[in-house]
Amino acid sequence: MRLLLILFLLTIIPLSGTAQEVIKSKPERGFLWFKINRTDKQGRYHGRWKVYFGEKNTVIRNGRFRHGREVGTWRYYYPNGTRYMKEKYSRKSNDIKVEKYHENGKLARKGTARFIETSTLEKYYWYGDWEVYDTSGAFSHIEVYSNGNLVGRK
């Protein structure tokens, strides 16, 4: 449970406004001339990003930012290196396709989330039907979410 709390906090940190001031290091050299973990002129995250954890520098999160906003596909990993979650951001809406995985690598749940950003609020929440799977990867049931709250099961 503590591990999940740590992973949850690490996924939320880049979404907060203060997190953009935390990383002041020089961008790392990536493949050929590409650099990772860099910012734009306004100090917002931009380009390919990798977040590391622990003494072994295990990648726990990687994806792309476009001027401070997450875009494309983001992948999250447990500290042991197995996949934890995959998010795919839509270009045309605030919808995010989410797949979460058990520690054994099997699919745990799949559904849609939404990220809303206004001048006074940043909110990430689940909505709609979410398919839930057991630890062996077999379909279990469907949970229905509204504005981030579980409202029923099918």
Side-chain angles (χ1 to χ4, degrees):
M1 188 65 182
R2 188 176 191 185
L3 176 62
L4 289 175
L5 178 63
I6 291 171
L7 286 172
F8 176 74
L9 291 174
L10 288 172
T11 60
I12 297 302
I13 288 173
L15 296 177
S16 67
T18 58
Q20 301 216 357
E21 299 172 347
V22 172
I23 299 176
K24 297 284 186 183
S25 63
K26 185 176 179 182
E28 293 183 30
R29 183 115 175 128
F31 178 71
L32 297 175
W33 60 87
F34 298 106
K35 294 183 180 178
I36 59 174
N37 298 358
R38 60 189 173 108
T39 58
D40 63 9
K41 292 180 181 179
Q42 288 77 32
R44 298 174 297 195
Y45 297 157
H46 188 72
R48 168 89 33 215
W49 271 80
K50 290 185 179 182
V51 178
Y52 299 93
F53 177 75
E55 295 175 7
K56 295 182 181 180
N57 286 334
T58 306
V59 174
I60 60 168
R61 182 175 196 246
N62 97 40
R64 295 187 67 79
F65 279 99
R66 183 173 293 131
H67 302 290
R69 301 249 358 210
E70 293 164 318
V71 296
T73 302
W74 278 82
R75 291 176 177 82
Y76 301 81
Y77 302 94
Y78 288 105
N80 66 7
T82 60
R83 186 171 29 188
Y84 167 67
M85 182 169 60
K86 181 173 115 176
E87 294 179 325
K88 184 162 183 165
Y89 289 80
S90 171
R91 288 179 168 223
K92 299 182 181 188
S93 70
N94 291 332
D95 291 350
I96 307 163
K97 299 291 183 193
V98 180
E99 295 177 358
K100 294 186 90 175
Y101 297 87
H102 294 288
E103 284 194 64
N104 64 7
K106 302 285 185 179
L107 185 64
R109 57 181 59 231
K110 179 169 58 169
T112 307
R114 187 170 280 158
F115 180 69
I116 303 295
E117 183 178 16
T118 64
S119 61
T120 58
L121 174 72
E122 289 182 356
K123 183 176 181 181
Y124 175 95
Y125 61 93
W126 293 0
Y127 76 95
D129 292 349
W130 278 71
E131 298 174 5
V132 179
Y133 300 86
D134 62 17
T135 54
S136 66
F139 177 77
S140 175
H141 62 278
I142 293 178
E143 294 178 343
V144 181
Y145 288 85
S146 175
N147 204 18
N149 298 315
L150 179 63
V151 294
R153 292 176 76 171
K154 294 182 182 178

